[in-house]
Amino acid sequence: MRFAAAIVVAFGVLVLAPAQAHASCIGATVQQVSSGLTVPSGALVVVGPLESDVPPSPNRGDELALRVATLVAGRIAGARVHPRVLALDSARTAAARSASLVYVHVQLVKGQLRVTADAYPVVRNIWDRARLAPPPPNGHAYSVAPVDAEVRAFFPALPLELQSVRKVTHGETSEVLAAACGDLDGDGGSEIMLVTRDRASVGRIRGAKLDVERAAAWSVLAKRSPVPLREALAGAGISVGRAFIGTSDRGGVIVDELLAPRAVSSGIPVGGGSCAAISTARLSFTGPIAPCESTTHPSAMGAFDAASALMLVSPAGEEKLAVATREGGKIHVRVDGAEKSTFDDAGAEIALFDANLDGMPEIAFSSEGAEDVITIATIGAEGPRVLNRIAAPGGVRALAACPSEGGAGAVVAVVGSEVWIVR
């Protein structure tokens, strides 16, 4: 019985800092940018043209930029938004009678929404504007977050097709219990984390192997549990600047980008910033699933031997918690508490994700039989549909999901001594 999951949370105002849990991409960036500025009442918020490495749907680029600017203006006291996208010089002219100018720059790069806001003083006298150099900004804020279905709705739909399976070796000498994928160091590229009973490690794929860049022994991260399970349960999740990791041997811990321990989590991570407790009596997880950083411990209810959680964002920006749990060889997928589908003969490895960012969940899971298979399915309004079945004769040790980097997301599978990247 093992578990693996991946999470990516939005970060950054001026410097990278944790975002609120369960915030949509636009909501997180707007909150961080607006809170990073101090401007007088009566400011005019103007946004520049959208910059994107993926062409938006026709006429929707300006719409996305204006939505971000409108929400920024709504969070600044006394501010109003200009109804059109303008270049900076035109924005200065439009703000001539305003208390100040807040100029917003919206970019989509490698699957990330990047929002920059600069506050400029206003030169009201037309002659001063003509003879003096434009004043520099006196306030600056920056935020970045992985795109979600709300942002992706402004772009052409991504097809759900299996394009490639890349296989590399990982080099771990102990059995891998969990995996995660995400941008831990904030450089815009995904890293892969592996958790064993001995250590947690983070690396990138280079050539034919997973090249470990940082590692930390469990003896340094956390004390051993007084009642460890014979067959360990584990989980991992990555966000910018920190990661959640945990095993039934050691409990849960929050680490920074260097894998140094920072705090104890409320349980074993199961994705979406959520954790679950371990029941030594039942030799399994127990619910309910709660935020990893919660200081309260809800009473136990139910039992499951594998789980994956995902904060699902709709194209309208609505957030719902999606949870997949395995109970007695059957996976139950629930969204906002309502059961959406079940899968029989499922193994102990599950990863719930939104591959094409359409607001509908996808799931990858191992099989229960002797011949292991990775099943990938989508769960739409009309029920589940299997997309792919990939034979994994080496045995699936862990599953995780990588965030989108401009295209559809990827599945990371640890199969025997290899790491597979399924795109």
Side-chain angles (χ1 to χ4, degrees), residues 216-239:
W218 273 112
S219 58
V220 175
L221 295 173
K223 295 180 179 179
R224 183 176 294 276
S225 170
V227 188
L229 302 184
R230 177 177 298 177
E231 190 172 359
L233 298 171
I238 290 176
S239 58

Side-chain angles (χ1 to χ4, degrees), residues 363-388:
I363 186 171
F365 59 90
S366 59
S367 59
E368 196 173 32
E371 298 297 325
D372 216 343
V373 173
I374 301 169
T375 298
I376 302 175
T378 184
I379 304 168
E382 299 178 355
R385 176 171 62 91
V386 173
L387 301 172
N388 297 291

Side-chain angles (χ1 to χ4, degrees), residues 227 229 233-234 247-248 266-268 276-281 283-286:
V227 188
L229 302 184
L233 298 171
T247 74
S248 53
S266 63
I268 306 301
I278 294 290
S279 169
T280 55
L283 305 180
S284 64
F285 290 107
T286 58

Side-chain angles (χ1 to χ4, degrees), residues 248-336:
S248 53
D249 289 345
R250 303 279 180 169
V253 62
I254 303 171
V255 299
D256 62 18
E257 68 275 13
L258 300 177
L259 302 187
R262 295 303 180 195
V264 175
S265 69
S266 63
I268 306 301
V270 296
S274 299
C275 284
I278 294 290
S279 169
T280 55
R282 296 183 177 183
L283 305 180
S284 64
F285 290 107
T286 58
I289 291 171
C292 290
E293 295 173 285
S294 174
T295 56
T296 61
H297 299 279
S299 58
M301 51 180 290
F304 42 92
D305 56 23
S308 182
L310 168 71
M311 187 53 65
L312 198 63
V313 179
S314 76
E318 300 171 340
E319 301 169 8
K320 296 181 179 179
L321 182 64
V323 177
T325 57
R326 178 183 182 265
E327 306 156 24
K330 174 178 283 191
I331 292 176
H332 298 265
V333 180
R334 301 174 178 90
V335 178
D336 205 24

Side-chain angles (χ1 to χ4, degrees), residues 151-175:
V151 174
R152 204 63 187 72
F154 292 86
F155 295 79
L158 291 170
L160 287 174
E161 298 176 350
L162 177 64
Q163 297 180 339
S164 66
V165 180
R166 183 179 180 183
K167 303 178 182 181
V168 301
T169 57
H170 60 68
E172 293 292 337
T173 56
S174 299
E175 181 183 5

